Amino acid sequence: MTPAAAAPTPPPELTATPDAAAGRAASARLIPPIPLAPLARGPVVAAMLALAALLAATSQAYGYHRDELYFRMLDPAWGYLDQPPLTPLIARTLASIIDEPWLLRLPAIIAAVAAVFVAALIAREVGGARRAQALAAWTAVAAAFPMIFGHVLLTSSIDLVVWPLACLFAMRALLRHEGRWWLAVGLVAGLATYNKLLVAVLLVGLGAGLLAFGPWRALRSPWLWGGILIAVVLALPSIVYQATHEWPQLAMGSALAEDNEGETRWLMWPMLLLLTGPLLVPIWVAGLVGLVRRRPWRDIRLLIGAFVVVLVFTFVGSAQFFYPLGVLQVLLAIGCVPTAEWMRTRARRVLVWTAVALNGAISAVIALPLVPVDVVGATPLAAINQVTADSIGWPRYVQQVADAAGSVPGAPIITANYGEAGALDRFGPAVGLDPADVFSGHNELWFKGHPSDAADAVVFVGYGPRLLAPLFDECEVRGRLDNGLGVDNEERGSPITVCSGIRMPWSEAWPRFAHLD
């Protein structure tokens, strides 16, 4: 037989092994990676610079937030009763250089600005071109909560960039079919445990979303399990601290829920609208709907699961109403893609950009200290934004404590909360008070010690005679805190009480002053 007469070679699909054929069939079912548009550097950088300038310009206004006053006085440690070590360490370090709000808040500004860039990257990852990326960047600037958390140094300030970054890397692992990005998710989440253990809820949410919506092939990826291993190894010091200190984070969560008396369960829902801004709600809703309906986004529907899990956790735990905002940031960025597609006509473009600008202007007035401090008390701003209320009046309060304590010089001062203690630590020396004489039973400060058993006369801030009468022979209210600005915050109206004749050693009385909230 001649070569020309030889039997034809069967096609590869007829000679391949069943396993190989199954592998090709599985590959054919994969959704092709979404093409990435060029990064819209101009509008994204402009948005980042605008937010940086706004936050920097307002960083010194009003004054320290109560949490900042608390953080800056905590000694470095592997952990605290109410939080991991990172944010207090940052605050303590910066305060040792220049003890002013503007420097203390620099990390919060950096985190908020970085979150704008991550928002643009998320929009780009799901197919967003220049307009969608620009919209994602500017909506990240115009929402209220990045301004609030970017203005003061809170643990939530660092989370502004952590949660969206972890979600971005998970999206890359799934949309690009590049499993190595799971390692980046694990790295970010593991490091985030040094700031806030709440990132574990995000990981549980992503895992639940993966189980519920797929793609289930990711569960077989060694990269995924490698990422989980990295997260666990990096989180090990925090886990060990919790285990060796009787899981204080659980006690703290329970105390917050009890203190909130369930108000988080109803407050969370309107805040989902208000903290982004009502005018931006259609955009993040478009993102949520797009995850359900768009086939190219099918592999990242785990984000729906993450959102639901965080909502349920917040509702059941009743701790802090703003916990879902980390996932909401991601939905907002994703929603900019269908919104940008909708902006086909000039009228629609004008409508959307006007809404973003108006939302940003209103958010800035609510979130930032733009209104003169002597006018704030005549507005609803302090009632709307607790951060504003908690940043006003501290030097005046300290002067009032110093005036009341003048009759008992050198007496220890015990405060009802860490904000008052932090204010006395920061501003006390200027009015003749020694920070070494300041004590508090609030959260971690209880462990810093109690007055000497030799101390008889004591100045109390925030405690009334009814509570103190069983411990002392005599108690007298010497004044009440008043910021003089009409701002109704937690301190306003609190009594300053001088007591003498303690009836038991301080080592025995001190446990009665320990409280969590």
Side-chain angles (χ1 to χ4, degrees), residues 321-505:
F321 61 81
F322 53 79
Y323 286 167
L325 294 177
V327 183
L328 208 59
Q329 285 176 274
V330 179
L331 297 178
L332 185 62
I334 292 174
C336 288
V337 175
T339 303
E341 294 170 357
W342 182 80
M343 296 162 62
R344 292 186 298 271
T345 66
R346 178 181 178 84
R348 291 181 178 183
R349 291 193 292 273
V350 170
L351 177 64
V352 171
W353 285 116
T354 300
V356 171
L358 185 59
N359 197 92
I362 296 172
S363 295
V365 173
I366 293 173
L368 299 175
L370 298 178
V371 175
V373 69
D374 55 353
V375 178
V376 172
T379 72
L381 293 176
I384 296 172
N385 182 4
Q386 189 65 39
V387 170
T388 294
D390 288 343
S391 302
I392 290 176
W394 296 113
R396 181 181 171 93
Y397 292 151
V398 170
Q399 181 63 63
Q400 291 166 351
V401 173
D403 292 343
S407 61
V408 283
I413 302 172
I414 299 177
T415 72
N417 68 55
Y418 58 58
E420 297 156 353
L424 289 165
D425 182 84
R426 171 61 179 87
F427 300 110
V431 293
L433 299 178
D434 186 352
D437 293 332
V438 177
F439 304 90
S440 179
H442 192 193
N443 291 7
E444 183 68 24
L445 295 184
W446 185 85
F447 295 99
K448 291 177 72 69
H450 55 73
S452 165
D453 284 342
D456 182 62
V458 182
V459 179
F460 288 94
V461 181
Y463 294 97
R466 184 181 303 176
L467 178 66
L468 302 170
L471 299 176
F472 293 90
D473 293 333
E474 183 179 358
C475 288
E476 179 186 358
V477 176
R478 298 289 179 86
R480 292 185 179 275
L481 298 180
D482 183 5
N483 51 58
L485 299 169
V487 175
D488 189 15
N489 55 21
E490 186 175 337
E491 276 61 47
R492 188 185 183 204
S494 296
I496 307 170
T497 308
V498 177
C499 295
S500 60
I502 189 167
R503 296 171 179 170
M504 63 184 69

Side-chain angles (χ1 to χ4, degrees), residues 149-162:
F149 295 149
H151 171 61
V152 296
L153 180 61
L154 309 173
T155 53
S156 298
S157 303
I158 309 300
D159 280 351
L160 276 175
V161 66
V162 166

Side-chain angles (χ1 to χ4, degrees), residues 163 166 185-186 189-190 193 198-209 228 231:
W163 283 45
V185 175
T193 61
L198 190 66
V199 72
V201 179
L202 173 63
L203 295 184
V204 170
L206 291 174
I228 293 173

Side-chain angles (χ1 to χ4, degrees), residues 271-297:
M271 284 301 172
L272 286 175
L273 310 181
L274 295 176
L275 286 181
T276 55
L279 297 176
L280 300 185
V281 170
I283 299 180
W284 68 257
V285 169
L288 196 60
V289 172
L291 288 173
V292 174
R293 300 180 62 179
R294 295 193 173 209
R295 185 176 183 277
W297 295 359

